[in-house]
Amino acid sequence: MAISTPAASAAAVEVSGVGRVFQAKGGSVTALHNIDLRIEPGELFGLLGPNGAGKSTLIKILSTLLLPSSGSASIFGLDVVRDTARVRRIMNLVAGGDFSGYGLLTAREQLAMFAQFYGMPYAEGMRRVDAQIEAFGITDIRDRKISALSTGQRQKLNFARSFLNEPWMLFLDEPTIGLDVSAARDVRERVRAFQAEQPGRTVLLTTHYMAEADEMCDRIAIVDHGRILAQGTPTELKRMVQKETLFIVGVDELPAAVSLGTLRELPGVISVVVRDADGADGNGVGSPVTRLAIALREDAALGGVISALAAAGAHLREISKSEPTLEEVFVQLVGRGISESDSEQAL
Amino acid sequence: MESCSPVQIDLTSRTSRAFGPLRGDAADAARSLIASARLAWAIEGNWAEPFFLLVYLIIRPLAFLGLFLAVLSIGGTLNPASIGFVVVGQAVFQIVGAAMQGPTHALLDDRERYRTIRYIFATPSSLLPVSIGRALVKALIAAISAVIVIGVGALIGMPMRAGGPDLPLLLVVMTLGLTSIVGLGIALGAVCVQLRNDAWGYPQAVAGSVFLLCGAIFPLDTLPRALQLIGAALPMTWWIEGVRRALLGTASPGLLGELSTPLLLLVLTVGTVLITLAAPRLFTIGIDRAREKGYLDRSTAS
Ligand SMILES: Nc1ncnc2c1ncn2[C@@H]1O[C@H](COP(=O)(O)OP(=O)(O)OP(=O)(O)O)[C@@H](O)[C@H]1O
Ligand SMILES: [Mg+2]
């Protein structure tokens, strides 16, 4: 049953002019400059940026752990500075990368404790605890002490905790760091299932894994040095670095009857260049391939190019569509790869 | 994601207390307090480690007691009255120390060791009942130690009150004393959570100084005048004196002893009320400042 309140039509996250300055020993550090951001209910929004970009700082401010130095932010219309009690009822967070938990408690006891912190009566709390334990497939470690759990098991437990209050807004700060491929996949699946269960559940995720961001996020903001450099869907971001569609077409050899010039004149073709050519090796193993990089206005123009090549007697060896990766977008916007530091860039 | 049909979110019920017959801030706080107390029972009374408990609860306090009695005997002042004075002081101070350091240790443990403070802070529960619950259990476990010390004291000739302990007085004094010291502990926690470095040392240092000033071992009269005044302003001074009267049936010699028991209770009550009013406010201020500085989820190591 949904009661429409003014807040119900609000953005899931609304950040306006948020800045944050830390006083550190060597002077002050500006972690965030005047950030504006809006995330709609139901979105899975990603923050992508190198170390020190300010991602965690923004998540901490939104999850009421830290105060902004300037600006304001709200979650479903509730101010994160003033309305903390209500914000905390509809929000939860998971951070990756450190072991957290009370080693002497069992997994179930720890979750039960958090259920109490959410004000649930014991029976209701335990019902939710057991449901999450089940959902994460960690029934086998339910009564095991936290100190005996692996990193992956602990992080699943941490996720289970974050679902206890069925949050509308879930903050995930590098949640899959340190997890193996299958544990990371389990966790991502749970997040998606959780969002699917109820429209409106919103997720803000930071990650260093480009593939994770690309695969999971509806929209992404690329941040560096406390500023948002670009935001959009993964496709939109990729379009920023590559406007045309690019196909790589491999033929055994370019027939004399067709020149690059004739291909370039075909409708919808922007450019054609020889990308590379592999000769057969000395033992005659493998056969020669010439690869053409063909930029098109639209995918449909490919047909004309292929027909022209075939008509000239070329044997087609391979066709692939070349998509820019988020990594390329990132490098272009940030000026360095996500795993390179500022200093490496300066070298 | 259908962006055309706006999502209807029932914020009214989601952001109010949606659960159970018990409603209201007090009920929520009670729940958090009990949950934290359970946690503390598991982690403080690590009953799986009997050797550790033996040392912590029995050997250590008794070793200190032995040391103090040895000092008295060297000074030539070892007599039943002085044994009673020292035994009760040492016993009650076990509880004082635990209650006073408890909230700070809960906050710092959760920040530095267990790294759970951010997750607790992000719940609707306040850190206040969480810290109180943890401190109370620490005090309770220390009380076991106190009982053992008093038992040993009785064996070695501590003069007990004729007709047994004054239980009503003991109950009142213990309740007031514990409340006021947990209150002080809360205020101390509020200060320490704003510190990044060496915050662990502060409660210990405070407890150590208080130990010397509150007449636990050294009668107030033996202190310089200025320190006597500080000692007299500390609630634990009155708490320990109250317990002495309830158990031994005699007042301490000197300054404190001149006060009638009803007057002592009045002083302790007024002190407790003032502390109980001030401590939660100080705590909120401290936590807010830690939140502003970003120290709530940043461990010293990170
Ligand atoms: N409590 C603090 N005190 C001082 N400086 C801080 C504090 N927290 C963060 N910073 C600084 O603010 C900047 C942003 O840090 P933040 O943790 O938000 O980055 P991040 O994008 O999450 O990086 P990472 O990918 O490494 O997690 C960094 O320069 C960091 O050193
Ligand atoms: Mg971070």
Side-chain angles (χ1 to χ4, degrees):
Chain A
M1 196 195 58
I3 300 167
S4 195
T5 65
S9 56
V13 173
E14 175 95 67
V15 175
S16 51
V18 162
R20 173 68 213 205
V21 180
F22 288 107
Q23 302 307 328
K25 276 241 170 66
S28 61
V29 180
T30 305
L32 295 175
H33 296 269
N34 237 338
I35 296 279
D36 292 316
L37 184 67
R38 187 182 161 97
I39 302 175
E40 299 302 330
E43 277 192 299
L44 200 162
F45 194 96
L47 284 178
L48 211 51
N51 292 134
K55 307 179 296 290
S56 300
T57 304
L58 184 58
I59 285 207
K60 285 177 195 175
I61 290 173
L62 293 174
S63 57
T64 77
L65 298 179
L66 184 69
L67 294 180
S69 308
S70 56
S72 65
S74 61
I75 306 291
F76 287 98
L78 304 170
D79 188 278
V80 299
V81 174
R82 281 174 282 115
D83 217 347
T84 50
R86 292 206 289 165
V87 167
R88 287 170 187 159
R89 287 184 191 279
I90 58 161
M91 170 275 290
N92 217 318
L93 83 150
V94 174
D98 65 20
F99 273 132
S100 78
Y102 301 97
L104 283 164
L105 293 189
T106 67
R108 195 163 178 259
E109 284 167 348
Q110 176 159 304
L111 291 180
M113 184 184 76
F114 275 97
Q116 298 290 288
F117 291 159
Y118 280 97
M120 294 170 207
Y122 189 76
E124 169 68 9
M126 290 323 284
R127 191 190 64 71
R128 291 194 187 196
V129 165
D130 289 334
Q132 288 305 330
I133 285 175
E134 178 109 0
F136 276 93
I138 49 174
T139 340
D140 51 328
I141 56 152
R142 209 174 75 147
D143 298 314
R144 205 180 288 172
K145 293 260 194 296
I146 309 258
S147 56
L149 301 186
S150 73
T151 309
Q153 290 166 334
R154 278 191 192 221
Q155 194 62 339
K156 283 184 181 174
L157 193 64
N158 201 357
F159 264 96
R161 176 198 52 72
S162 77
F163 288 166
L164 286 176
N165 64 327
E166 300 181 344
W168 281 103
M169 184 70 225
L170 186 60
F171 296 104
L172 305 177
D173 194 0
E174 298 183 41
T176 56
I177 214 156
L179 299 189
D180 68 21
V181 177
S182 98
R185 193 184 49 222
D186 289 352
V187 159
R188 285 197 287 265
E189 266 166 22
R190 279 307 307 147
V191 171
R192 270 191 288 253
F194 182 75
Q195 272 194 298
E197 273 166 28
Q198 181 109 66
R201 286 181 178 165
T202 311
V203 177
L204 176 58
L205 166 91
T206 79
T207 181
H208 276 125
Y209 303 124
M210 294 289 176
E212 183 170 87
D214 202 350
E215 178 201 323
M216 291 194 76
C217 299
D218 299 312
R219 282 197 303 141
I220 291 172
I222 293 185
V223 286
D224 191 24
H225 294 306
R227 291 192 167 86
I228 294 181
L229 303 180
Q231 56 178 305
T233 64
T235 318
E236 282 166 359
L237 289 173
K238 290 172 191 167
R239 274 281 149 75
M240 290 174 61
V241 298
Q242 183 181 299
K243 303 225 161 27
E244 64 278 12
T245 46
L246 188 68
F247 282 92
I248 306 296
V249 174
V251 290
D252 46 4
E253 66 183 312
L254 205 56
V258 60
S259 73
L260 294 183
T262 44
L263 290 178
R264 282 183 194 127
E265 256 131 56
L266 292 170
V269 175
I270 299 167
S271 70
V272 181
V273 291
V274 176
R275 174 175 261 206
D276 54 23
D278 290 346
D281 64 24
N283 302 325
V285 176
S287 43
V289 182
T290 301
R291 289 193 191 85
L292 303 174
I294 304 172
L296 304 172
R297 269 188 202 98
E298 51 182 0
D299 289 7
L302 186 64
V305 178
I306 301 299
S307 323
L309 284 169
H315 289 282
L316 227 56
R317 298 282 302 276
E318 54 190 55
I319 300 181
S320 60
K321 190 171 179 180
S322 166
E323 294 267 20
T325 60
L326 266 184
E327 180 90 42
E328 287 170 83
V329 179
F330 190 89
V331 169
Q332 190 160 97
L333 287 168
V334 176
R336 60 186 189 276
I338 195 158
S339 44
E340 297 162 34
S341 66
D342 271 329
S343 51
E344 279 173 73
Q345 180 208 15
L347 290 177
Chain B
M1 205 190 35
E2 291 100 325
S3 47
C4 45
S5 66
V7 185
Q8 293 291 293
I9 289 166
D10 181 1
L11 273 177
T12 322
S13 80
R14 288 300 315 246
T15 54
S16 62
R17 272 169 222 89
F19 304 108
L22 281 178
R23 282 163 192 269
D25 291 340
D28 281 358
R31 249 190 246 291
S32 300
L33 193 144
I34 291 167
S36 311
R38 279 209 184 126
L39 167 69
W41 189 251
I43 58 186
E44 301 304 330
N46 186 358
W47 312 110
E49 299 278 3
F51 177 72
F52 170 78
L53 281 181
L54 186 77
V55 170
Y56 184 77
L57 289 182
I58 302 177
I59 297 179
R60 202 183 66 137
L62 288 181
F64 274 104
L65 181 63
L67 185 73
F68 300 138
L69 293 176
V71 170
L72 286 183
S73 122
I74 292 165
T77 49
L78 190 66
N79 56 51
S82 67
I83 292 176
F85 185 89
V86 167
V87 165
V88 175
Q90 163 70 357
V92 180
F93 202 82
Q94 300 297 311
I95 311 175
V96 171
M100 203 165 54
Q101 301 181 56
T104 308
H105 283 172
L107 292 169
L108 295 183
D109 273 344
D110 283 358
R111 185 174 82 183
E112 316 267 335
R113 247 169 96 190
Y114 304 118
R115 291 168 183 260
T116 46
I117 198 166
R118 69 175 77 147
Y119 300 125
I120 299 177
F121 192 68
T123 70
S125 167
S126 158
L127 286 175
L128 184 63
V130 171
S131 312
I132 295 175
R134 299 266 283 274
L136 283 180
V137 168
K138 283 181 192 232
L140 181 71
I141 292 170
I144 299 173
S145 169
V147 169
I148 292 169
V149 169
I150 286 170
V152 169
L155 289 178
I156 61 171
M158 174 175 98
M160 296 298 280
R161 177 174 178 267
D166 182 345
L167 289 179
L169 176 62
L170 188 64
L171 189 72
V172 172
V173 166
M174 286 300 290
T175 310
L176 289 172
L178 190 59
T179 309
S180 62
I181 305 309
V182 170
L184 286 187
I186 288 294
L188 193 57
V191 173
C192 292
V193 80
Q194 298 173 51
L195 303 171
R196 283 220 48 193
N197 298 315
D198 307 321
W200 289 100
Y202 281 82
Q204 181 113 46
V206 172
S209 326
V210 165
F211 184 66
L212 297 178
L213 297 174
C214 71
I217 302 299
F218 309 106
L220 232 50
D221 298 29
T222 60
L223 299 175
R225 184 77 193 153
L227 296 184
Q228 280 185 30
L229 289 177
I230 299 177
L234 296 171
M236 41 289 247
T237 308
W238 305 91
W239 181 10
I240 295 173
E241 175 61 16
V243 176
R244 284 196 180 111
R245 291 186 189 188
L247 291 182
L248 309 174
T250 50
S252 298
L255 203 70
L256 287 180
E258 284 160 23
L259 220 64
S260 73
T261 301
L263 203 52
L264 180 143
L265 287 178
L266 182 69
V267 171
L268 194 51
T269 307
V270 171
T272 305
V273 168
L274 292 179
I275 291 170
T276 312
L277 289 176
R281 286 171 177 75
L282 291 173
F283 189 79
T284 308
I285 294 171
I287 294 291
D288 283 351
R289 291 188 55 181
R291 182 180 170 213
E292 191 194 317
K293 290 184 185 176
Y295 288 0
L296 267 181
D297 76 332
R298 221 178 139 88
S299 67
T300 319
S302 71

